[in-house]
Amino acid sequence: APKPQGLQAEMRKRQNKKLIKDRDEVMDLVKRAAGPIETAAALRATYTEVSEGLSAVGLTIGGSEALDDRLYIKQKGSLVYSEEELDIVEKADYRLGLMHSVHAWSGLLDSRLQTATRVLENGIGGTKAERDQALAGALKEAKESLRVHNSIFEDGTSKKILADIDKEGLPHDVSERHDELMSSCTKLLGVAVDSVCESAEAAVNEKVAAIRKGNAAGVVASIDGKVRPALEHLKKEGGPELTAEQKGRLDEAEKVVRAAAPAVGGDDDSD
């Protein structure tokens, strides 16, 4: 049986034959990546089609071997891909690496914005269970959206890649999502505040004393254990903060439930 190194060499030799046979197809794909791209949608389509086409002939974008090095193939003493073509391959390889980042980031941003939209569209509901679910979902998604936002727009490496993408003149809508994502976070905080305020109102208006006390204590626990820590986390990570109106409503809701929770004695059956 062939030794591992011998097997790899044999596989590379077989792949070389395919790369020689499909030379024109490879160069057509490469020229698409190296050439002008007019729109963000065209960039995504180009990246997908070119990367899939190159993968079909055994070429990997972002692999350990640069594409121009991989296509440095000689046949009968002559280069299969000319020096001029290898220069085009090198440019395409660089641009495809940048396109990969655009493609990956666009997917992340789309996913977060779609999830946030679902949470916002669902609203806070009318029952305690629905309000609790809305609160948990809004806080979780606000933190996730901010995490994705910071991984793209605040991370040093990502910021450099984004600058390289712009310098290369590649069209994209990644930067536009910055404001969308932050706006989404702000709206999600609004859902969280609405949920807490509605729960607080329902708790203090409960006529049965024991239930009123328990529900008020539950809202206090949510504020202390979920809302305040989430707001502190978002602030620490550079995320949005509550508006003055939202902060006032939350503080008032907290005040009334804290007053209601211990106010009802165990033997109070006046209701």
Side-chain angles (χ1 to χ4, degrees), residues 27 36 39 60 99 111 115 164 177 192 209 219 259 268:
M27 285 309 303
T39 66
T60 304
M99 288 185 215
S111 176
T115 303
D164 289 343
R177 308 297 179 84
V219 177
D268 183 353

Side-chain angles (χ1 to χ4, degrees), residues 32-55:
R32 283 190 61 191
I37 301 173
E38 300 299 331
T39 66
L43 182 143
R44 289 192 291 270
T46 298
Y47 173 78
T48 299
E49 292 163 14
V50 171
S51 61
E52 289 177 355
L54 293 177
S55 178

Side-chain angles (χ1 to χ4, degrees), residues 8-245:
Q8 289 174 1
E10 183 60 32
M11 288 176 63
R12 188 176 181 91
K13 186 176 179 181
R14 283 203 301 266
Q15 189 188 36
N16 281 353
K17 289 181 180 179
K18 184 170 181 60
L19 292 173
I20 292 169
K21 173 177 171 289
D22 296 334
R23 199 193 81 85
D24 291 344
E25 180 185 346
V26 169
M27 285 309 303
D28 284 345
L29 290 167
V30 162
K31 287 175 181 177
R32 283 190 61 191
I37 301 173
E38 300 299 331
T39 66
L43 182 143
R44 289 192 291 270
T46 298
Y47 173 78
T48 299
E49 292 163 14
V50 171
S51 61
E52 289 177 355
L54 293 177
S55 178
V57 296
L59 294 172
T60 304
I61 297 168
S64 58
E65 188 176 24
L67 291 184
D68 55 311
D69 289 337
R70 182 63 191 88
L71 293 176
Y72 191 87
I73 302 167
K74 285 189 175 183
Q75 186 179 44
K76 297 179 181 178
S78 299
L79 287 173
V80 174
Y81 295 83
S82 70
E83 293 283 1
E84 182 182 11
E85 287 173 329
L86 290 174
D87 286 342
I88 297 172
V89 172
E90 183 179 15
K91 179 181 179 181
D93 196 14
Y94 174 69
R95 285 163 62 93
L96 284 166
L98 298 177
M99 288 185 215
H100 171 76
S101 294
V102 172
H103 184 77
W105 290 340
S106 294
L108 277 173
L109 292 166
D110 285 345
S111 176
R112 291 274 59 88
L113 288 167
Q114 288 167 10
T115 303
T117 297
R118 285 197 296 271
V119 173
L120 294 170
E121 288 178 346
N122 287 339
I124 63 173
T127 67
K128 180 180 181 300
E130 288 172 340
R131 288 192 297 271
D132 289 345
Q133 184 177 8
L135 174 62
L139 293 178
K140 177 183 177 183
E141 188 52 38
K143 288 189 281 189
E144 277 298 299
S145 291
L146 183 62
R147 181 187 64 78
V148 168
H149 171 279
N150 288 354
S151 73
I152 296 171
F153 300 110
E154 299 300 329
D155 176 75
T157 301
S158 297
K159 287 167 75 172
K160 182 183 182 306
I161 293 171
L162 198 53
D164 289 343
I165 290 167
D166 290 335
K167 185 177 178 181
E168 187 63 25
L170 293 171
H172 66 90
D173 52 12
V174 171
S175 297
E176 296 171 19
R177 308 297 179 84
H178 175 286
D179 292 341
E180 288 184 57
L181 212 55
M182 293 301 276
S183 174
S184 174
C185 283
T186 301
K187 291 175 183 177
L188 288 164
L189 290 184
V191 169
V193 171
D194 289 346
S195 174
V196 170
C197 291
E198 287 289 330
S199 291
E201 184 177 357
V204 298
N205 288 333
E206 170 59 49
K207 295 187 181 300
V208 179
I211 297 177
R212 180 167 67 246
K213 180 179 179 180
N215 287 351
V219 177
V220 171
S222 288
I223 292 172
D224 288 345
K226 297 177 182 177
V227 179
R228 295 298 185 192
L231 292 175
E232 186 61 30
H233 171 80
L234 292 172
K235 181 179 180 180
K236 181 181 177 183
E237 296 298 319
E241 298 184 48
L242 297 182
T243 64
E245 186 267 341

